[in-house]
Amino acid sequence: MSKIFVDACFGKETPYTPVWMMRQAGRYLPEYMAVRKEAGNFLNLCHDPKKAAEVTLQPLDIVGVDAAILFSDILVIPDEMGMDLSFIKGEGPKFSDPIREQKELDRLIGGEEAASKLTYVYETIKILREELDKRGDEKALIGFTGAPWTLATYMIEGQGTKTYNICKKMMYSNPELLHNILKKVTEVVKLYLEKQIQAGVDVVQIFDSWAAAIEPGMYDEFSWSYMVEIAEYIKEKYPHIPVIMFPKGIPAFYDKVYGNFDVFGVDWSAKMAYAKEKLGDRYVLQGNMEPCRLYSKEATTKCVEVIQETMQGKRHIFNLGHGILPDVPVENAIHFVNECHRVSGKK
Ligand code: CP3
């Protein structure tokens, strides 16, 4: 059975516009918090295929989204390349051994060896594939990766950053080392996505959450070209799998977007009308409600109506313009999904 979400990714006409939310399996759901508590912590949850599959499915049943996104994290990739990942309460992710020199990069494992260590991710996908097939409904399963640049920011800084000063020092004073990091990550990511597809995902998304840290004139060199290389590797071998690109916060680059992929994820810094004008002929657009509108049902309805007015239910997937925050009331998330369905004509 063809899935509405997959059809929409290819720009085909669908009975209504599908919707999902970035970070839809997460802390705003009490059911997620209960499973995370059982697992002990977030990383244990990622490493436990049964529990990871369980939380992946929660938003389908509770919120009514049209696609599930694999529950994992982008940072399991550098972790399995040999970096030591931990999540410290209240501080976010940390690597104790950041990469600042070539010899530190050389110590990391790459390619097939690294990609084949992420077995718990592929196990999670296999469970989900079976479960979704058993349900026989139209919900798709999205696999994902971080873009090499976004992953590199954590690998180099050792943690999240507001200034990116260590990465940028490398970008401007030792670009060769930065490219070597990006190349090594790119090789792992290609195989990682390929293995996700072989395990059963229907769609893949590449998150470049920290795209906006790069000046627009250098974005292609340090990020977009690597994302395109990954997308082209996938599209060549698996043309039936849609690829979604999500470079956050760089509308100044929309004029220069190129590459073989299917869906462009629009974040909330751009107006949908602007994205449509620049990219709508070439790519299906996904997005883009400002996630904080979820605090108000009225503000949500207003925004969904404006987006629908712009996109007219054509070549569009509803989503937030970035991830849902932990203190959003569940009923407001349900309201968002229902409104997307209502305005686009779901019966
Ligand atoms: O979207 C989904 O529901 C699927 C699961 C998913 C998670 N992380 C779960 C998660 C996905 C797709 C990600 C991707 C991710 N992880 C990104 C790119 C997407 C984005 O949001 O821009 C980034 C930059 C990360 C890195 C990361 N992981 C950070 C900065 C944090 C800590 C932030 C915080 O809220 O504490 C995480 C942890 C994380 N990843 C959580 C979840 C549900 C919260 C962990 C918890 O406390 O339970």
Side-chain angles (χ1 to χ4, degrees), residues 20-27 32 36 42 69-75 87 92-93 144 150 154 207 209-210 246 322-323:
W20 68 284
M21 296 184 294
M22 286 184 270
R23 286 284 177 93
Q24 66 188 15
R27 284 177 293 194
Y32 166 83
R36 192 182 79 161
F42 170 68
I69 179 160
L70 161 73
F71 187 83
S72 183
D73 197 80
I74 58 168
L75 298 178
F87 281 87
F144 69 89
T150 287
Y154 290 97
F207 285 91
S209 306
W210 313 135
F246 179 67
H322 198 197

Side-chain angles (χ1 to χ4, degrees), residues 86-94 159-160:
S86 58
F87 281 87
I88 296 165
K89 226 182 166 170
E91 291 181 46
K94 281 229 163 31
Q159 59 193 6

Side-chain angles (χ1 to χ4, degrees), residues 99-100 156-157 163-171:
I99 306 297
R100 310 276 166 81
I156 296 164
E157 301 275 344
T163 56
Y164 303 87
N165 51 321
I166 308 173
C167 307
K168 290 192 181 185
K169 195 192 249 178
M170 195 183 288
M171 179 181 285

